[in-house]
Amino acid sequence: MPDNISSSRTLPWFVRSGARTWRCLPAPDEVRAFHAALPGHSPTPLTELPSLAEELGVGRVFVKDESCRLGLPAFKALGASWAVHRTLAERAASGREPGPVTLVTATDGNHGRAVARMARLLGQHAHVFVPQGVHPQAVAAIVAEQAKVTEVTGPYDEAVRLAAEEAAGPGAVLVQDTAWPGYERIPGWIVEGYSTLCAEIDEQLAAQGIGEGPDLVSVPVGVGSLAQAVVTHYRSRPSGRAPALLSVEPQAAACVLESLTLGEPVSVTTGHTTMAGLNCGTPSSIAWPLLRDGLDAAVAVPDADSARAATHLAALGVSSGYCGAAALAGLRAVLTGAAVDERRAALGLDATSVVVLLSTEGTAANPHRPLVPPQQTGSESGKTAAC
């Protein structure tokens, strides 16, 4: 059984031992080459923020800034592009009739826009189902990609169900970034697409003199697909440092934390959260085994903490939406408060540790009004990026 060793009653926190010794197979090598050949592709920045290292009591802190990935304000284009490429190639190889197909998906914003962008660029159609709570500007951005949008009066899981029903029709294919029994190949391709992000981090850290990789990676989590990619990358390396891996969710939608606590995948009833892209009630079926065995810890944070983290990152020159800033909010929650020494020890952190925060989206991806006033903090890395 996993070890939940937190003695804090106020922090929704889970930790288990043994994750850093668990191993799995790596992602395929050809994904990186595919992305490198796409028009407009370039690695996203890995920005060092010394003031955060000082605040958190670690050696160095880097933020992987996904505010502009392939022309979109979030990392999702990596998975969508590879999965759509594989899907269309497979259809062509099977001898099916040529001509446009409709790529169907459900989204909290970023994934749907990425699928719609790929459909438009490749001469396909897109139909995107959007659950309640997604900001109208995010919906408008999907419409601007020439996609048909259906707004659902229910949560994310309901939007996924309706998208799957729609994709059962002729000339349609479901391109969903969560999996369930019987629907796993395309979600698996999406996860493979995210491996490019991790490979870039390795190279960027090496350029900073950190050849063995980070000591901890903090990952925002919805259904767990990005976290699955991160676990796959760091738990498949034959040598080098095995970092601690921390997942961060909204308190209103902590399906992975609840599943880890119970030891089996469960669905939770979600509430409203400004971390819209993380507002998911059920872990992906293909992600769950890797999250169960490869994550060191999980934490859930309130919206206000994520908003403060986003404001702080903006003051330091990093554009981060509330979902992206969850990585910082979660790490702050773990490294402060009651039982902090116990949590630091469980994650293997000390004053020399190297930490990577995955800021999965820019402010343009999640256009909510700030919940806290801007901090008057000097920038360490220039102006906030825009996409």
Side-chain angles (χ1 to χ4, degrees), residues 38-286:
L38 292 177
H41 169 78
S42 61
T44 55
L46 185 72
T47 303
E48 184 169 11
L49 299 177
S51 67
L52 283 183
E54 182 178 2
E55 173 196 334
L56 298 171
V58 296
R60 303 177 77 174
V61 171
F62 296 86
V63 177
K64 184 61 169 167
D65 179 358
E66 292 291 313
S67 62
C68 192
R69 172 68 78 171
L70 287 167
L72 294 175
F75 76 103
K76 292 286 189 176
L78 290 173
S81 60
W82 176 246
V84 170
H85 164 73
R86 289 295 306 269
T87 298
L88 296 180
E90 185 179 80
R91 288 178 69 88
S94 70
R96 299 185 190 185
E97 292 185 11
V101 298
T102 299
L103 306 177
V104 184
T105 195
T107 187
D108 281 319
N110 294 327
H111 171 71
R113 186 178 178 187
V115 170
R117 171 68 63 88
M118 290 304 300
R120 179 172 63 81
L121 292 176
L122 297 174
Q124 310 298 320
H125 304 303
H127 187 176
V128 181
F129 287 76
V130 179
Q132 64 185 9
V134 176
H135 196 280
Q137 290 182 31
V139 176
I142 299 171
V143 173
E145 301 290 349
Q146 302 175 14
K148 177 182 178 181
V149 173
T150 297
E151 298 191 57
V152 177
T153 57
Y156 174 80
D157 286 1
E158 175 68 5
V160 171
R161 184 185 69 80
L162 293 173
E165 289 182 357
E166 178 69 16
V173 60
L174 185 67
V175 184
Q176 195 59 55
D177 57 346
T178 187
W180 53 87
Y183 180 73
E184 296 173 335
R185 291 186 70 206
I186 291 176
W189 290 335
I190 291 172
V191 172
E192 288 176 359
Y194 299 153
S195 64
T196 291
L197 184 157
C198 299
E200 290 177 2
I201 291 173
D202 284 350
E203 294 177 356
Q204 291 166 325
L205 287 178
Q208 295 282 340
I210 307 169
E212 291 194 342
D215 295 289
L216 181 139
V217 181
S218 181
V219 191
V221 167
V223 299
S225 295
L226 176 60
Q228 179 187 352
V230 172
V231 170
T232 298
H233 181 78
Y234 288 106
R235 300 299 183 239
S236 64
R237 298 194 304 175
S239 61
R241 184 180 292 147
L245 304 178
L246 170 70
S247 72
V248 185
E249 297 169 280
Q251 288 184 355
C255 64
V256 169
L257 175 61
E258 183 70 11
S259 297
L260 290 170
T261 301
L262 295 176
E264 61 182 5
V266 296
S267 297
V268 301
T269 300
T270 61
H272 172 75
T273 173
T274 54
M275 290 173 270
L278 309 181
N279 195 5
C280 306
T282 305
S284 170
S285 66
I286 59 172

